[in-house]
């Protein structure tokens, strides 16, 4: 790639940084240049977020319809999965899976709920009262 | 603040850590391509049975930590590293090093890096930054992918050092020790060793998912994705490849250009013209990776959706496979002596 071909497309990097590229100068030698972003990357990122948001809405519905506990929604909202949440809470993955069932969730002690709430950075009431 | 610490922006975080810290300790010849090449950084792997953010797990560089470790070792530099269970112990050790006037690298999770744009904050745990000082309740941070330095509160850095999930950092802190005077003979040796090890990793690694063969493996898979996953999910998978290829400042294309820049320097250092021609091969590979990203974008934006579009993407990857294989074969045939 040549220096004049460095893409300069507006992106989520705005107000954060420009990124460094290794490019050829006119003498065919490598040097560095800066880019404010590339549409190809921006679209990939936007696309990924579209999918994240779709999953969040799907999880919201699952809670609303009583199929899943609020933990299921907050996992998606925080871009987590069961194994990451297991890491943050210290609960076994199998336990976390069980806690996704509304019936099991409703019987969880405040102590356990508090551990979940902390992992999601919310209050225990927000977790308990989330209805979708 | 530590005396004379100079922030250096690089394309990739670990290259940046290696470059900045070694330069700080007096190896003033160090730069990103050299750090990357001596550390045999170029790689490709599609990790089987693993998903990242619900998509394929692909990496365009060697495993986290290897570049720093190999480059230091080749140059006769010791590496100190520590992990912690206890948050306070992790904080105390960091403060101790800062008070001794030693800038240190920390492995962090991007999800909790408050200075990153929200859009980039996924659960990615293999980011690295340098802490070079402390000002009241804030650490002075040199994040190599950024143009300028930044800060994090004590609490924020602690959160980022103890993120969970794959590659959880566990407070991982590391820094070079016993750095001797710059020695050009040692540098040349390091370059040769770096090239040979990279040839081994890319051409001779067993199995079919890693090294140049891994690129062929992904190419084969892409041909099946449309049928197997449906166009939408297949598009998301391709988007994931592009994101892995071209995260902030790094990337499949990006790494190939850095490697080409390394070989250009190696040609000068070792007085070996053939390396210049091989450098051009890697520039070509980088350009091809970028073309593949453009083609993949056509699919995930919904402009292209036929099987032939997937086949064309797979064909570009096959061409990359051939290009990189040939380039590494040429490297393996060179009689390099320091």
């Amino acid at each position: 790639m040549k220096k004049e071909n460095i893409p300069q497309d507006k992106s989520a990097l705005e107000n954060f940084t420009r990124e460094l590229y290794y490019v050829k100068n006119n003498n065919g030698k490598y040097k560095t240049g800066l880019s404010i972003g590339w549409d190809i990357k921006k679209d990939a990122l936007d696309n990924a977020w579209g999918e994240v948001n779709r999953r969040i809405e799907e999880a919201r519905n699952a809670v609303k319809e009583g199929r899943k506990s609020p933990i299921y929604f907050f996992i998606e909202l925080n871009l987590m999965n069961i194994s990451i949440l297991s890491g943050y809470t210290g609960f076994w993955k199998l336990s976390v899976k069980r806690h996704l069932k509304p019936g099991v969730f409703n019987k969880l002690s405040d102590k356990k709920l508090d551990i979940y709430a902390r992992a999601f950075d919310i209050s225990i009431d927000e977790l308990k009262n989330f209805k979708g | 603040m530590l005396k004379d610490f100079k922030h250096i922006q690089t394309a990739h975080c670990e290259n940046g850590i290696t470059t900045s810290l070694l330069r700080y300790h007096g190896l003033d010849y160090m730069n990103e391509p050299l750090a990357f090449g001596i550390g045999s950084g170029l790689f490709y792997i599609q990790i089987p049975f693993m998903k990242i953010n619900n998509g394929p797990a692909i990496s365009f560089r060697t495993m986290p930590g290897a570049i720093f470790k190999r480059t230091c070792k080749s140059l006769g530099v010791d590496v100190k590293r520590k992990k912690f269970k206890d948050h306070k112990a992790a904080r105390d050790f960091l403060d101790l090093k800062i008070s001794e006037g030693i800038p240190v690298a920390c492995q962090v999770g991007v999800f909790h890096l408050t200075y990153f744009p929200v859009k980039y904050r996924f659960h990615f745990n293999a980011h690295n930054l340098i802490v070079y000082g402390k000002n009241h309740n804030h650490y002075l941070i040199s994040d190599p992918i950024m143009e300028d330095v930044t800060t994090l509160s004590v609490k924020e850095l602690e959160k980022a050092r103890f993120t969970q999930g794959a590659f959880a950092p566990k407070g991982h802190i590391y820094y070079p020790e016993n750095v001797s005077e710059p020695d050009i003979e040692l540098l040349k040796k390091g370059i040769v060793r770096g090239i040979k090890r990279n040839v081994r990793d890319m051409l001779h690694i067993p199995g079919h998912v890693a090294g140049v063969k891994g690129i062929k493996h992904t190419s084969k898979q892409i041909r099946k994705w449309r049928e197997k996953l449906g166009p939408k999910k297949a598009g998301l998978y391709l988007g994931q490849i592009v994101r892995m290829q071209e995260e902030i400042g790094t990337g499949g294309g990006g790494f190939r250009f850095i490697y080409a820049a390394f070989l250009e320097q190696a040609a000068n250092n070792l007085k070996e013209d053939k390396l210049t021609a091989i450098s051009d091969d890697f520039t070509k590979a980088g350009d091809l990776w970028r073309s593949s990203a453009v083609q993949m974008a056509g699919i995930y934006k919904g402009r292209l959706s036929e099987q032939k579009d997937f086949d064309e993407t797979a064909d570009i990857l096959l061409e990359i496979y051939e290009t990189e294989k040939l380039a590494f074969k040429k490297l393996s045939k060179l009689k390099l002596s320091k």
Side-chain angles (χ1 to χ4, degrees):
Chain A
M1 186 168 45
K2 290 206 157 164
K3 187 155 194 208
E4 56 267 29
N5 298 334
I6 296 180
Q8 303 292 354
D9 304 328
K10 217 170 136 95
S11 75
L13 293 172
E14 205 175 16
N15 302 322
F16 171 54
T17 188
R18 287 178 296 174
E19 52 187 335
L20 197 75
Y21 273 68
Y22 283 80
V23 285
K24 292 248 181 179
N25 67 12
N26 290 332
N27 304 326
K29 295 279 176 219
Y30 266 99
K31 57 179 293 171
T32 59
L34 291 166
S35 161
I36 62 166
W38 189 27
D39 277 343
I40 300 295
K41 288 158 78 165
K42 179 185 174 288
D43 292 335
L45 191 58
D46 287 347
N47 206 34
W49 275 97
E51 175 66 5
V52 168
N53 291 328
R54 188 192 64 76
R55 291 175 70 102
I56 293 172
E57 283 320 302
E58 203 178 88
R60 185 194 303 277
N61 281 330
V63 178
K64 200 184 270 176
E65 292 162 10
R67 286 183 283 121
K68 296 279 183 188
S69 81
I71 294 172
Y72 186 76
F73 169 78
F74 285 104
I75 286 177
E76 293 297 339
L77 188 69
N78 286 284
L79 282 63
M80 291 180 172
N81 55 34
I82 287 177
S83 113
I84 295 175
L85 184 56
S86 157
Y88 276 105
T89 56
F91 298 139
W92 297 99
K93 279 190 239 176
L94 267 179
S95 310
V96 176
K97 254 184 206 168
R98 280 188 65 242
H99 299 161
L100 300 182
K101 294 179 184 161
V104 180
F105 176 82
N106 290 335
K107 286 180 202 147
L108 283 180
S109 68
D110 274 5
K111 201 177 149 197
K112 283 188 176 161
L113 289 173
D114 185 50
I115 292 172
Y116 277 118
R118 276 166 199 264
F120 297 134
D121 222 354
I122 53 175
S123 72
I124 198 168
D125 283 335
E126 279 174 90
L127 179 62
K128 263 188 190 169
N129 300 326
F130 181 78
K131 301 278 187 267
Chain B
M1 193 168 110
L2 304 182
K3 66 166 174 62
D4 303 333
F5 178 82
K6 195 171 157 263
H7 172 74
I8 299 169
Q9 187 188 15
T10 52
H12 183 254
C13 64
E14 198 180 320
N15 296 340
I17 302 287
T18 312
T19 306
S20 287
L21 292 184
L22 290 180
R23 282 185 78 103
Y24 179 83
H25 289 283
L27 296 191
D28 45 15
Y29 58 68
M30 191 47 68
N31 56 47
E32 172 165 29
L34 274 183
F36 185 66
I38 297 173
S40 315
L42 202 73
F43 198 51
Y44 183 90
I45 184 167
Q46 181 174 354
I47 305 168
F49 312 115
M50 186 175 161
K51 289 268 183 293
I52 296 178
N53 303 316
N54 308 301
I58 287 176
S59 178
F60 291 85
R61 41 143 320 177
T62 191
M63 62 199 148
I67 294 172
F68 182 76
K69 186 174 143 194
R70 292 162 167 180
T71 301
C72 285
K73 216 176 150 193
S74 279
L75 300 175
V77 173
D78 292 341
V79 174
K80 291 278 166 203
R81 46 177 90 243
K82 247 175 148 36
K83 287 190 177 186
F84 302 88
K85 274 193 182 135
D86 182 46
H87 293 208
K88 189 179 173 298
R91 191 170 64 226
D92 288 348
F93 188 78
L94 173 63
D95 289 347
L96 176 72
K97 284 293 138 193
I98 297 296
S99 70
E100 288 172 357
I102 299 169
V104 288
C106 289
Q107 183 190 340
V108 291
V110 168
F111 189 73
H112 288 297
L113 274 193
T114 40
Y115 59 78
F116 259 53
V118 174
K119 273 204 150 172
Y120 280 96
R121 286 166 61 184
F122 285 84
H123 293 274
F124 172 70
N125 283 335
H127 190 58
N128 298 275
L129 50 76
I130 295 170
V131 184
Y132 68 98
K134 195 176 181 183
N135 199 348
H136 302 295
N137 224 7
H138 280 81
Y139 288 108
L140 308 180
I141 305 288
S142 161
D143 186 320
I145 63 152
M146 290 174 70
E147 285 177 85
D148 296 310
V149 292
T150 182
T151 59
L152 282 173
S153 74
V154 171
K155 222 176 161 181
E156 285 166 340
L157 179 60
E158 196 160 305
K159 254 189 158 170
R161 292 178 73 193
F162 283 95
T163 46
Q164 297 288 338
F167 300 114
K170 300 192 171 74
H172 188 192
I173 189 170
Y174 59 99
Y175 51 95
E177 231 175 42
N178 302 326
V179 186
S180 39
E181 295 285 299
D183 174 347
I184 294 306
E185 289 312 307
L186 204 57
L187 169 65
K188 287 184 189 169
K189 245 189 201 168
I191 292 172
V192 173
R193 191 173 173 199
I195 291 174
K196 286 186 174 161
R197 183 169 38 206
N198 222 140
V199 167
R200 182 200 71 192
D201 286 356
M202 282 301 269
L203 292 184
H204 306 303
I205 190 165
H208 62 282
V209 298
V212 293
K213 283 177 289 178
I215 305 172
K216 196 171 163 187
H217 170 68
T218 304
S219 165
K220 267 189 199 158
Q221 294 222 315
I222 289 174
R223 285 182 211 280
K224 298 184 212 151
W225 278 354
R226 185 173 175 275
E227 183 104 330
K228 199 172 144 196
L229 309 165
K232 189 172 179 285
K233 197 164 181 194
L236 281 165
Y237 272 38
L238 292 175
Q240 169 105 333
I241 297 183
V242 172
R243 285 174 54 229
M244 295 289 124
Q245 228 193 93
E246 301 279 352
E247 294 167 63
I248 305 179
T250 67
F255 283 127
R256 271 62 194 166
F257 296 129
I258 300 173
Y259 202 72
F262 162 67
L263 292 180
E264 183 185 288
Q265 292 189 38
N268 280 333
N269 279 297
L270 304 175
K271 311 253 177 308
E272 173 55 86
D273 280 344
K274 286 180 188 151
L275 285 169
T276 312
I278 305 175
S279 165
D280 289 340
D281 292 339
F282 282 100
T283 302
K284 186 187 161 202
D287 287 334
L288 282 169
W289 276 114
R290 286 181 72 80
S291 311
S292 82
V294 173
Q295 169 78 9
M296 290 175 193
I299 295 176
Y300 58 70
K301 283 165 82 175
R303 191 165 49 76
L304 308 172
S305 59
E306 304 297 320
Q307 179 58 36
K308 76 166 175 43
D309 303 316
F310 283 81
D311 286 339
E312 274 168 32
T313 314
D315 289 342
I316 303 176
L317 260 68
L318 218 49
E319 197 182 344
I320 298 171
Y321 157 73
E322 297 291 352
T323 307
E324 294 194 4
K325 187 169 87 173
L326 191 66
F328 275 109
K329 283 226 160 116
K330 285 186 199 167
L331 278 178
S332 75
K333 284 188 188 125
L334 287 184
K335 294 219 168 6
L336 295 171
S337 54
K338 33 108 201 156

